[in-house]
Amino acid sequence: MSVTDELLANNAAYAEQFSGPLPLPPAKHVAVLACMDARIDVYRVLGLNEGEAHVIRNAGGVVTEDEIRSLAISQRLLGTVEIILIHHTDCGMLTFTDDEFKKAIQDEVGVKPSWAAESFTDLDTDVRQSVARIRNSPYVPVKDSIRGFVFDVATGKLDEVL
Amino acid sequence: MSVTDELLANNAAYAEQFSGPLPLPPAKHVAVLACMDARIDVYRVLGLNEGEAHVIRNAGGVVTEDEIRSLAISQRLLGTVEIILIHHTDCGMLTFTDDEFKKAIQDEVGVKPSWAAESFTDLDTDVRQSVARIRNSPYVPVKDSIRGFVFDVATGKLDEVL
């Protein structure tokens, strides 16, 4: 049995206890953008219930064109007005450089990605970079509350980057 | 008090009960790519514990360059080998067209996005499109288990798209 099959069995149990449907727009009008790291259970970390916040995630919790797309849809069509960014300690993005990652791919499959891998060397600096990219975008209309945090994987605590 | 402040208070309570740290690589070697929709609590829907799976999310759960980046990092650097895609019923991406979304932005701020908004008209077709984009990428090395699902927001159940 694959892990996917095992998780589908979990879903059957989940559906038995499920009460829905909830409305489409996030009830707390918040969008969270976090790293994809397996240790960050965003709903638990922030005490969110189903239906309360959009949750956007990728490698690093960085802001590229696709996160701007998601935030634009979140704010313009579904009414979110606050943005919470979450990077975290012990992040995989601190363990390599874009150049070496892309060269390894080129060496192996013959094609070098035209995109940035978005690795970084300092957590706080990259959180600030993510905030700056959102502030710099004409497509995200509401910028009154954009706050960035580092999740400590040892303590479970969010520390704000000022 | 902003919603962000309220969620930070929740985090303080979370940290008090927290036991960590867990290892960086996902224990179940799975990457999940799901829509950002507030009603999909991925960990609960799949019965995942912290540390078990990468979770990538965006508007629609679609596959663009940034999801290929995240999946490439997930598989090449952190050892995941299965991919689970999750779209869902009552999705916001079914409620608009790219053309009207981009024209509204152009009319309002004067700049038209150069990116696709990735709206779609049929859930199953878009799940298959997402699978096809991953299969077509040279940067995602392990393609043995890429399975796509539609989460029913009324029942909590995942239905596989074949």
Side-chain angles (χ1 to χ4, degrees):
Chain A
M1 191 162 93
S2 69
V3 172
T4 300
D5 287 320
E6 178 195 319
L7 299 181
L8 287 176
N10 292 346
N11 174 250
Y14 175 80
E16 277 177 25
Q17 307 296 321
F18 190 81
S19 66
L22 293 166
L24 170 53
K28 288 199 181 291
H29 311 292
V30 173
V32 181
L33 168 52
C35 182
M36 70 179 179
D37 190 278
R39 298 164 293 185
I40 309 175
D41 180 347
V42 170
Y43 285 70
R44 248 42 54 187
V45 165
L46 293 172
L48 285 166
N49 296 310
E50 285 139 331
E52 292 187 336
H54 281 149
V55 181
I56 303 160
R57 303 184 65 171
N58 64 43
V62 301
V63 175
T64 74
E65 190 173 273
D66 195 54
E67 288 66 47
I68 295 296
R69 178 186 71 84
S70 293
L71 289 169
I73 290 168
S74 177
Q75 290 198 350
R76 296 184 61 93
L77 301 184
L78 293 162
T80 66
V81 293
E82 295 181 42
I83 298 174
I84 296 174
L85 303 173
I86 303 179
H87 285 37
H88 65 96
T89 59
D90 192 35
C91 186
M93 304 300 284
L94 295 160
T95 66
F96 66 96
T97 68
D98 277 35
D99 286 350
E100 72 193 29
F101 180 71
K102 291 165 74 165
K103 183 170 190 311
I105 292 178
Q106 184 173 9
D107 289 349
E108 191 179 312
V109 302
V111 189
K112 185 177 171 184
S114 57
W115 33 264
E118 295 287 340
S119 64
F120 47 78
T121 56
D122 182 78
L123 284 167
D124 287 15
T125 303
D126 201 72
V127 169
R128 288 191 199 99
Q129 176 61 214
S130 295
V131 172
R133 288 183 180 181
I134 296 171
R135 290 210 177 281
N136 194 49
S137 172
Y139 308 128
V140 179
V142 188
K143 297 175 180 174
D144 303 321
S145 181
I146 306 172
R147 292 169 64 182
F149 301 87
V150 172
F151 176 76
D152 187 328
V153 298
T155 66
K157 197 170 170 303
L158 289 168
D159 294 307
E160 186 155 15
V161 178
L162 300 172
Chain B
M1 191 162 93
S2 68
V3 173
T4 301
D5 287 320
E6 176 195 322
L7 299 180
L8 287 176
N10 293 346
N11 174 250
Y14 175 78
E16 276 178 25
Q17 308 295 322
F18 189 80
S19 65
L22 293 166
L24 170 53
K28 290 201 180 289
H29 311 292
V30 173
V32 181
L33 168 53
C35 183
M36 70 180 179
D37 190 277
R39 298 164 293 185
I40 309 175
D41 179 350
V42 171
Y43 286 70
R44 248 43 54 188
V45 165
L46 293 172
L48 286 166
N49 295 309
E50 284 140 331
E52 292 187 335
H54 281 147
V55 181
I56 303 160
R57 303 184 65 170
N58 64 42
V62 302
V63 175
T64 74
E65 191 173 272
D66 196 55
E67 287 66 48
I68 295 296
R69 179 185 71 84
S70 293
L71 289 169
I73 290 168
S74 176
Q75 289 199 349
R76 296 185 61 94
L77 301 183
L78 293 163
T80 66
V81 293
E82 295 182 42
I83 298 173
I84 296 174
L85 303 174
I86 303 178
H87 285 36
H88 65 96
T89 59
D90 192 36
C91 186
M93 305 300 285
L94 296 161
T95 66
F96 66 97
T97 67
D98 276 35
D99 285 350
E100 71 194 28
F101 181 72
K102 291 165 73 164
K103 182 169 190 312
I105 292 177
Q106 184 174 9
D107 288 349
E108 191 179 314
V109 301
V111 189
K112 184 177 171 184
S114 57
W115 34 264
E118 294 286 341
S119 64
F120 46 79
T121 56
D122 183 79
L123 285 167
D124 287 15
T125 303
D126 201 71
V127 169
R128 289 191 198 98
Q129 176 60 213
S130 295
V131 172
R133 288 183 180 181
I134 296 170
R135 291 212 177 281
N136 194 49
S137 172
Y139 308 128
V140 179
V142 187
K143 298 175 180 175
D144 303 322
S145 181
I146 305 171
R147 291 168 64 182
F149 302 87
V150 172
F151 176 76
D152 187 327
V153 298
T155 67
K157 196 170 171 302
L158 289 169
D159 294 307
E160 187 155 15
V161 178
L162 299 172

